[in-house]
Amino acid sequence: MNSRSINVKEACFPDFSASDKEGSGNEVDYTGLLMNVPLEVRVQIGKTKRTMREVLKFAQGSIIKLDKQAGAPVEIIANDQTVARGDVIVIDEHFGVRITEIITTDKHQEKPKDKEEITEETPAAEEESPEAEETEENTEETEE
């Protein structure tokens, strides 16, 4: 039998904890790295729901009615997140979108909450009165 010796070493990783960054004051700006990250950007004119039977009947020239009215702003979506709205324009036989509104959401601009804040809020959110549960049950029965 051939016996081989295997040299195993423990992996060493740099410490990326938030406490070190806050204390040292040497924050690194990674904005330049992010500028070259590719994103899927699409424009959604509208949407609709159809059954499989209806979809299989589609043919060249079929017209699909969408949930938006003509002239309504279209949504510009980057990586499944609506980032802007705009108007459809035509430039030299090509479609384009003129951006009319940039969508800003609070969750993009806020810093993440500390773990302590989250655990403090969780018990309060779980507490419900029996009346609230009865109201939810009645609502479900009404919807059916």
Side-chain angles (χ1 to χ4, degrees), residues 28-37:
V28 180
D29 184 16
Y30 293 106
T31 308
L33 291 172
L34 295 174
M35 291 302 141
N36 292 325
V37 174

Side-chain angles (χ1 to χ4, degrees), residues 32-109:
L33 291 172
L34 295 174
M35 291 302 141
N36 292 325
V37 174
L39 298 175
E40 176 186 316
V41 178
R42 67 180 190 270
V43 176
Q44 183 168 317
I45 295 173
K47 56 187 169 185
T48 188
K49 286 188 178 183
R50 295 287 177 246
T51 63
M52 181 61 77
R53 178 175 284 110
E54 292 169 318
V55 171
L56 291 173
K57 289 182 181 179
F58 287 169
Q60 187 172 350
S62 294
I63 297 174
I64 303 167
K65 185 177 178 183
L66 302 175
D67 63 349
K68 289 196 179 181
Q69 295 180 347
V74 295
E75 294 179 345
I76 295 103
I77 301 166
N79 281 5
D80 297 323
Q81 176 93 28
T82 301
V83 294
R85 290 192 180 91
D87 299 322
V88 176
I89 59 171
V90 179
I91 306 170
D92 298 328
E93 299 181 13
H94 290 85
F95 287 108
V97 176
R98 178 184 297 123
I99 295 176
T100 57
E101 176 186 4
I102 302 292
I103 307 297
T104 57
T105 58
D106 293 336
K107 64 182 172 183
H108 292 302
Q109 296 172 351

